[in-house]
Amino acid sequence: LGQAPGKGGEFYLTDAFQYMVDRGRRLLTANVGGWYDCGKVDTLLETNEHLLRNGRGLAPAPAPGVVIREPVRIEAGVTLRDCTIGPNVTIEAGSRIEGSTVEHSLLGRDVRLLHAQVKRSVIGDAQVLENRSVSDSVMDAGELALAK
């Protein structure tokens, strides 16, 4: 944008709009069915649930020892063994879930859960949880924080 990022090293949407207007661009509006502030963990999880219930779900074929409670989105390349997944869970490619339970949560790429329980949480890419329970939390860069 030709300027320094704002607070927290972020660029804001309003700054991007002003940048476009300053350069003669025209902004158009459109009606939307809902607005979700995904800057909040609770709303991010609500948005995930809404998307899963409205066509974004993707469940793997049934496998022994794996219980799937839809809606879920489990991308190709996820390994599931002796686990319960769902409802309202998204798991990105490369993740491995063994002996664990995940519900109402988002798991990034290459997440490893071994004998873990995850509820109402967002787990970032390449995070590892072993013999641990987390709820209402956010985990990224090896750090765990309460979401509330």
Side-chain angles (χ1 to χ4, degrees):
L1 293 176
Q3 63 188 41
K7 182 180 173 185
E10 298 176 356
F11 289 101
Y12 294 96
L13 187 57
T14 52
D15 295 329
F17 291 156
Q18 189 61 53
Y19 177 86
M20 290 186 288
V21 168
D22 290 346
R23 281 149 186 80
R25 301 291 191 248
R26 209 170 68 149
L27 301 178
L28 304 175
T29 61
N31 291 329
V32 295
W35 181 259
Y36 301 95
D37 178 4
C38 289
K40 298 178 181 178
V41 173
D42 285 347
T43 311
L44 181 60
L45 295 174
E46 282 177 34
T47 302
N48 184 56
E49 179 178 350
H50 174 79
L51 292 170
L52 292 172
R53 292 187 185 282
N54 290 281
R56 192 165 187 273
L58 177 64
V66 176
V67 175
I68 301 293
R69 296 184 178 136
E70 294 193 43
V72 298
R73 179 173 184 83
I74 301 172
E75 294 184 353
V78 171
T79 302
L80 302 175
R81 291 206 173 103
D82 299 319
C83 59
T84 300
I85 308 296
N88 306 317
V89 170
T90 294
I91 305 174
E92 293 187 28
S95 294
R96 182 180 192 89
I97 316 300
E98 292 188 45
S100 299
T101 301
V102 183
E103 58 187 55
H104 303 285
S105 296
L106 293 161
L107 278 60
R109 292 173 103 25
D110 302 313
V111 169
R112 300 288 183 260
L113 300 185
L114 182 59
H115 304 292
Q117 288 74 44
V118 177
K119 296 179 181 178
R120 298 176 310 280
S121 296
V122 178
I123 308 298
D125 293 348
Q127 299 306 297
V128 177
L129 284 170
E130 188 171 346
N131 298 314
R132 191 166 184 184
S133 294
V134 296
S135 63
D136 301 305
S137 299
V138 175
M139 182 177 185
D140 200 20
E143 295 186 18
L144 187 63
L146 292 178
K148 302 212 182 235

mmCIF file of all heavy atoms in Angstrom, residues 80-112:
data_model
loop_
_atom_site.group_PDB
_atom_site.id
_atom_site.type_symbol
_atom_site.label_atom_id
_atom_site.label_comp_id
_atom_site.label_asym_id
_atom_site.label_seq_id
_atom_site.Cartn_x
_atom_site.Cartn_y
_atom_site.Cartn_z
ATOM 1 N N LEU A 80 -6.320 -40.673 10.102
ATOM 2 C CA LEU A 80 -7.173 -40.829 11.287
ATOM 3 C C LEU A 80 -7.055 -42.252 11.798
ATOM 4 O O LEU A 80 -7.247 -43.203 11.025
ATOM 5 C CB LEU A 80 -8.628 -40.526 10.931
ATOM 6 C CG LEU A 80 -8.937 -39.152 10.348
ATOM 7 C CD1 LEU A 80 -10.401 -39.072 9.931
ATOM 8 C CD2 LEU A 80 -8.596 -38.052 11.347
ATOM 9 N N ARG A 81 -6.770 -42.414 13.094
ATOM 10 C CA ARG A 81 -6.708 -43.743 13.712
ATOM 11 C C ARG A 81 -7.307 -43.665 15.113
ATOM 12 O O ARG A 81 -6.931 -42.801 15.906
ATOM 13 C CB ARG A 81 -5.259 -44.221 13.820
ATOM 14 C CG ARG A 81 -4.646 -44.539 12.488
ATOM 15 C CD ARG A 81 -3.518 -45.562 12.623
ATOM 16 N NE ARG A 81 -3.079 -45.946 11.303
ATOM 17 C CZ ARG A 81 -1.970 -45.505 10.731
ATOM 18 N NH1 ARG A 81 -1.172 -44.689 11.365
ATOM 19 N NH2 ARG A 81 -1.637 -45.899 9.513
ATOM 20 N N ASP A 82 -8.242 -44.578 15.403
ATOM 21 C CA ASP A 82 -8.833 -44.673 16.742
ATOM 22 C C ASP A 82 -9.196 -43.297 17.302
ATOM 23 O O ASP A 82 -8.700 -42.890 18.351
ATOM 24 C CB ASP A 82 -7.886 -45.394 17.700
ATOM 25 C CG ASP A 82 -7.598 -46.812 17.249
ATOM 26 O OD1 ASP A 82 -8.540 -47.478 16.789
ATOM 27 O OD2 ASP A 82 -6.427 -47.239 17.329
ATOM 28 N N CYS A 83 -10.079 -42.602 16.602
ATOM 29 C CA CYS A 83 -10.424 -41.249 17.025
ATOM 30 C C CYS A 83 -11.897 -40.952 16.763
ATOM 31 O O CYS A 83 -12.561 -41.659 16.021
ATOM 32 C CB CYS A 83 -9.538 -40.228 16.321
ATOM 33 S SG CYS A 83 -9.639 -40.270 14.528
ATOM 34 N N THR A 84 -12.372 -39.883 17.395
ATOM 35 C CA THR A 84 -13.710 -39.359 17.163
ATOM 36 C C THR A 84 -13.559 -37.924 16.700
ATOM 37 O O THR A 84 -12.914 -37.112 17.377
ATOM 38 C CB THR A 84 -14.567 -39.428 18.443
ATOM 39 O OG1 THR A 84 -14.671 -40.789 18.858
ATOM 40 C CG2 THR A 84 -15.957 -38.864 18.200
ATOM 41 N N ILE A 85 -14.149 -37.632 15.550
ATOM 42 C CA ILE A 85 -14.041 -36.305 14.946
ATOM 43 C C ILE A 85 -15.435 -35.738 14.732
ATOM 44 O O ILE A 85 -16.273 -36.368 14.120
ATOM 45 C CB ILE A 85 -13.318 -36.372 13.575
ATOM 46 C CG1 ILE A 85 -11.976 -37.102 13.677
ATOM 47 C CG2 ILE A 85 -13.169 -34.971 12.980
ATOM 48 C CD1 ILE A 85 -10.950 -36.431 14.548
ATOM 49 N N GLY A 86 -15.662 -34.525 15.230
ATOM 50 C CA GLY A 86 -16.906 -33.829 14.983
ATOM 51 C C GLY A 86 -17.802 -33.807 16.197
ATOM 52 O O GLY A 86 -17.518 -34.425 17.216
ATOM 53 N N PRO A 87 -18.853 -33.022 16.053
ATOM 54 C CA PRO A 87 -19.253 -32.261 14.876
ATOM 55 C C PRO A 87 -18.488 -30.949 14.757
ATOM 56 O O PRO A 87 -17.782 -30.545 15.678
ATOM 57 C CB PRO A 87 -20.740 -31.997 15.117
ATOM 58 C CG PRO A 87 -20.855 -31.882 16.608
ATOM 59 C CD PRO A 87 -19.836 -32.879 17.146
ATOM 60 N N ASN A 88 -18.682 -30.297 13.610
ATOM 61 C CA ASN A 88 -18.177 -28.955 13.336
ATOM 62 C C ASN A 88 -16.657 -28.857 13.457
ATOM 63 O O ASN A 88 -16.124 -28.034 14.190
ATOM 64 C CB ASN A 88 -18.855 -27.923 14.245
ATOM 65 C CG ASN A 88 -20.350 -28.006 14.139
ATOM 66 O OD1 ASN A 88 -20.894 -28.140 13.040
ATOM 67 N ND2 ASN A 88 -21.039 -27.953 15.264
ATOM 68 N N VAL A 89 -15.994 -29.723 12.714
ATOM 69 C CA VAL A 89 -14.531 -29.772 12.728
ATOM 70 C C VAL A 89 -14.005 -29.660 11.308
ATOM 71 O O VAL A 89 -14.515 -30.311 10.403
ATOM 72 C CB VAL A 89 -14.038 -31.089 13.370
ATOM 73 C CG1 VAL A 89 -12.537 -31.266 13.183
ATOM 74 C CG2 VAL A 89 -14.405 -31.140 14.843
ATOM 75 N N THR A 90 -12.961 -28.854 11.135
ATOM 76 C CA THR A 90 -12.213 -28.789 9.886
ATOM 77 C C THR A 90 -10.773 -29.195 10.191
ATOM 78 O O THR A 90 -10.176 -28.665 11.138
ATOM 79 C CB THR A 90 -12.246 -27.376 9.276
ATOM 80 O OG1 THR A 90 -13.599 -27.085 8.892
ATOM 81 C CG2 THR A 90 -11.355 -27.275 8.050
ATOM 82 N N ILE A 91 -10.252 -30.135 9.398
ATOM 83 C CA ILE A 91 -8.865 -30.589 9.557
ATOM 84 C C ILE A 91 -8.192 -30.481 8.199
ATOM 85 O O ILE A 91 -8.649 -31.071 7.223
ATOM 86 C CB ILE A 91 -8.782 -32.036 10.068
ATOM 87 C CG1 ILE A 91 -9.562 -32.198 11.377
ATOM 88 C CG2 ILE A 91 -7.322 -32.453 10.242
ATOM 89 C CD1 ILE A 91 -9.648 -33.631 11.881
ATOM 90 N N GLU A 92 -7.087 -29.743 8.148
ATOM 91 C CA GLU A 92 -6.388 -29.540 6.888
ATOM 92 C C GLU A 92 -5.410 -30.667 6.581
ATOM 93 O O GLU A 92 -5.029 -31.454 7.458
ATOM 94 C CB GLU A 92 -5.680 -28.188 6.908
ATOM 95 C CG GLU A 92 -6.665 -27.023 6.918
ATOM 96 C CD GLU A 92 -5.983 -25.684 6.774
ATOM 97 O OE1 GLU A 92 -4.894 -25.603 6.173
ATOM 98 O OE2 GLU A 92 -6.550 -24.707 7.280
ATOM 99 N N ALA A 93 -4.990 -30.725 5.324
ATOM 100 C CA ALA A 93 -4.144 -31.794 4.782
ATOM 101 C C ALA A 93 -2.865 -31.990 5.596
ATOM 102 O O ALA A 93 -2.313 -31.054 6.150
ATOM 103 C CB ALA A 93 -3.791 -31.488 3.332
ATOM 104 N N GLY A 94 -2.432 -33.244 5.630
ATOM 105 C CA GLY A 94 -1.176 -33.593 6.274
ATOM 106 C C GLY A 94 -1.279 -33.840 7.763
ATOM 107 O O GLY A 94 -0.305 -34.255 8.392
ATOM 108 N N SER A 95 -2.444 -33.600 8.356
ATOM 109 C CA SER A 95 -2.600 -33.792 9.801
ATOM 110 C C SER A 95 -2.753 -35.268 10.134
ATOM 111 O O SER A 95 -3.183 -36.068 9.313
ATOM 112 C CB SER A 95 -3.799 -32.990 10.314
ATOM 113 O OG SER A 95 -3.554 -31.612 10.178
ATOM 114 N N ARG A 96 -2.393 -35.610 11.373
ATOM 115 C CA ARG A 96 -2.465 -36.997 11.847
ATOM 116 C C ARG A 96 -3.124 -36.973 13.230
ATOM 117 O O ARG A 96 -2.611 -36.339 14.148
ATOM 118 C CB ARG A 96 -1.074 -37.591 11.921
ATOM 119 C CG ARG A 96 -1.036 -39.016 12.341
ATOM 120 C CD ARG A 96 0.424 -39.513 12.390
ATOM 121 N NE ARG A 96 0.454 -40.940 12.518
ATOM 122 C CZ ARG A 96 0.454 -41.795 11.514
ATOM 123 N NH1 ARG A 96 0.435 -41.343 10.282
ATOM 124 N NH2 ARG A 96 0.482 -43.089 11.716
ATOM 125 N N ILE A 97 -4.250 -37.681 13.346
ATOM 126 C CA ILE A 97 -5.021 -37.703 14.581
ATOM 127 C C ILE A 97 -5.105 -39.163 15.045
ATOM 128 O O ILE A 97 -5.672 -39.997 14.344
ATOM 129 C CB ILE A 97 -6.459 -37.151 14.374
ATOM 130 C CG1 ILE A 97 -6.468 -35.874 13.521
ATOM 131 C CG2 ILE A 97 -7.168 -36.982 15.694
ATOM 132 C CD1 ILE A 97 -5.698 -34.724 14.062
ATOM 133 N N GLU A 98 -4.548 -39.460 16.213
ATOM 134 C CA GLU A 98 -4.555 -40.830 16.733
ATOM 135 C C GLU A 98 -5.011 -40.831 18.188
ATOM 136 O O GLU A 98 -4.524 -40.040 18.996
ATOM 137 C CB GLU A 98 -3.151 -41.441 16.664
ATOM 138 C CG GLU A 98 -2.655 -41.694 15.263
ATOM 139 C CD GLU A 98 -1.342 -42.468 15.260
ATOM 140 O OE1 GLU A 98 -1.228 -43.458 16.017
ATOM 141 O OE2 GLU A 98 -0.444 -42.067 14.509
ATOM 142 N N GLY A 99 -5.946 -41.742 18.503
ATOM 143 C CA GLY A 99 -6.398 -41.908 19.878
ATOM 144 C C GLY A 99 -6.938 -40.627 20.488
ATOM 145 O O GLY A 99 -6.778 -40.406 21.684
ATOM 146 N N SER A 100 -7.564 -39.806 19.685
ATOM 147 C CA SER A 100 -7.955 -38.464 20.123
ATOM 148 C C SER A 100 -9.415 -38.163 19.803
ATOM 149 O O SER A 100 -10.043 -38.864 19.016
ATOM 150 C CB SER A 100 -7.070 -37.422 19.431
ATOM 151 O OG SER A 100 -5.716 -37.614 19.774
ATOM 152 N N THR A 101 -9.916 -37.082 20.397
ATOM 153 C CA THR A 101 -11.261 -36.583 20.141
ATOM 154 C C THR A 101 -11.151 -35.105 19.780
ATOM 155 O O THR A 101 -10.456 -34.348 20.463
ATOM 156 C CB THR A 101 -12.148 -36.736 21.399
ATOM 157 O OG1 THR A 101 -12.194 -38.110 21.766
ATOM 158 C CG2 THR A 101 -13.552 -36.226 21.143
ATOM 159 N N VAL A 102 -11.848 -34.713 18.705
ATOM 160 C CA VAL A 102 -11.850 -33.322 18.272
ATOM 161 C C VAL A 102 -13.285 -32.929 17.987
ATOM 162 O O VAL A 102 -13.986 -33.615 17.247
ATOM 163 C CB VAL A 102 -11.007 -33.114 16.989
ATOM 164 C CG1 VAL A 102 -10.979 -31.637 16.611
ATOM 165 C CG2 VAL A 102 -9.603 -33.664 17.155
ATOM 166 N N GLU A 103 -13.735 -31.810 18.557
ATOM 167 C CA GLU A 103 -15.079 -31.313 18.261
ATOM 168 C C GLU A 103 -15.087 -29.790 18.273
ATOM 169 O O GLU A 103 -14.320 -29.161 18.996
ATOM 170 C CB GLU A 103 -16.108 -31.881 19.232
ATOM 171 C CG GLU A 103 -15.842 -31.606 20.682
ATOM 172 C CD GLU A 103 -16.801 -32.330 21.609
ATOM 173 O OE1 GLU A 103 -16.919 -33.566 21.512
ATOM 174 O OE2 GLU A 103 -17.422 -31.639 22.430
ATOM 175 N N HIS A 104 -15.943 -29.222 17.417
ATOM 176 C CA HIS A 104 -16.122 -27.763 17.309
ATOM 177 C C HIS A 104 -14.774 -27.039 17.217
ATOM 178 O O HIS A 104 -14.510 -26.110 17.982
ATOM 179 C CB HIS A 104 -16.937 -27.228 18.488
ATOM 180 C CG HIS A 104 -18.270 -27.877 18.632
ATOM 181 N ND1 HIS A 104 -19.324 -27.577 17.796
ATOM 182 C CD2 HIS A 104 -18.721 -28.831 19.485
ATOM 183 C CE1 HIS A 104 -20.367 -28.307 18.145
ATOM 184 N NE2 HIS A 104 -20.030 -29.082 19.151
ATOM 185 N N SER A 105 -13.915 -27.465 16.293
ATOM 186 C CA SER A 105 -12.562 -26.913 16.222
ATOM 187 C C SER A 105 -12.051 -26.837 14.787
ATOM 188 O O SER A 105 -12.587 -27.484 13.886
ATOM 189 C CB SER A 105 -11.604 -27.772 17.050
ATOM 190 O OG SER A 105 -11.942 -27.747 18.418
ATOM 191 N N LEU A 106 -10.987 -26.054 14.612
ATOM 192 C CA LEU A 106 -10.261 -25.938 13.353
ATOM 193 C C LEU A 106 -8.822 -26.371 13.591
ATOM 194 O O LEU A 106 -8.173 -25.866 14.510
ATOM 195 C CB LEU A 106 -10.239 -24.483 12.874
ATOM 196 C CG LEU A 106 -11.554 -23.876 12.450
ATOM 197 C CD1 LEU A 106 -11.474 -22.361 12.463
ATOM 198 C CD2 LEU A 106 -11.906 -24.357 11.067
ATOM 199 N N LEU A 107 -8.331 -27.289 12.768
ATOM 200 C CA LEU A 107 -6.947 -27.738 12.850
ATOM 201 C C LEU A 107 -6.271 -27.424 11.522
ATOM 202 O O LEU A 107 -6.783 -27.787 10.467
ATOM 203 C CB LEU A 107 -6.864 -29.245 13.116
ATOM 204 C CG LEU A 107 -7.028 -29.709 14.569
ATOM 205 C CD1 LEU A 107 -8.360 -29.323 15.150
ATOM 206 C CD2 LEU A 107 -6.810 -31.203 14.662
ATOM 207 N N GLY A 108 -5.117 -26.786 11.591
ATOM 208 C CA GLY A 108 -4.383 -26.405 10.394
ATOM 209 C C GLY A 108 -3.678 -27.583 9.742
ATOM 210 O O GLY A 108 -3.919 -28.747 10.070
ATOM 211 N N ARG A 109 -2.752 -27.271 8.836
ATOM 212 C CA ARG A 109 -1.996 -28.287 8.108
ATOM 213 C C ARG A 109 -0.951 -28.932 9.029
ATOM 214 O O ARG A 109 -0.356 -28.276 9.873
ATOM 215 C CB ARG A 109 -1.264 -27.649 6.935
ATOM 216 C CG ARG A 109 -2.189 -27.154 5.832
ATOM 217 C CD ARG A 109 -1.456 -26.374 4.775
ATOM 218 N NE ARG A 109 -1.132 -26.944 3.503
ATOM 219 C CZ ARG A 109 -1.729 -27.939 2.848
ATOM 220 N NH1 ARG A 109 -2.703 -28.579 3.388
ATOM 221 N NH2 ARG A 109 -1.351 -28.309 1.657
ATOM 222 N N ASP A 110 -0.757 -30.230 8.810
ATOM 223 C CA ASP A 110 0.320 -30.974 9.493
ATOM 224 C C ASP A 110 0.233 -30.943 11.017
ATOM 225 O O ASP A 110 1.249 -30.983 11.706
ATOM 226 C CB ASP A 110 1.693 -30.465 9.034
ATOM 227 C CG ASP A 110 1.860 -30.596 7.535
ATOM 228 O OD1 ASP A 110 1.541 -31.669 6.993
ATOM 229 O OD2 ASP A 110 2.300 -29.614 6.891
ATOM 230 N N VAL A 111 -0.969 -30.874 11.548
ATOM 231 C CA VAL A 111 -1.171 -30.945 12.999
ATOM 232 C C VAL A 111 -1.043 -32.399 13.430
ATOM 233 O O VAL A 111 -1.464 -33.318 12.726
ATOM 234 C CB VAL A 111 -2.557 -30.380 13.384
ATOM 235 C CG1 VAL A 111 -2.913 -30.677 14.836
ATOM 236 C CG2 VAL A 111 -2.609 -28.889 13.115
ATOM 237 N N ARG A 112 -0.461 -32.640 14.601
ATOM 238 C CA ARG A 112 -0.330 -33.982 15.160
ATOM 239 C C ARG A 112 -1.020 -34.018 16.516
ATOM 240 O O ARG A 112 -0.651 -33.275 17.422
ATOM 241 C CB ARG A 112 1.140 -34.361 15.361
ATOM 242 C CG ARG A 112 1.967 -34.365 14.110
ATOM 243 C CD ARG A 112 1.611 -35.567 13.220
ATOM 244 N NE ARG A 112 2.433 -35.641 12.045
ATOM 245 C CZ ARG A 112 2.074 -35.224 10.830
ATOM 246 N NH1 ARG A 112 0.896 -34.681 10.647
ATOM 247 N NH2 ARG A 112 2.870 -35.353 9.805
#
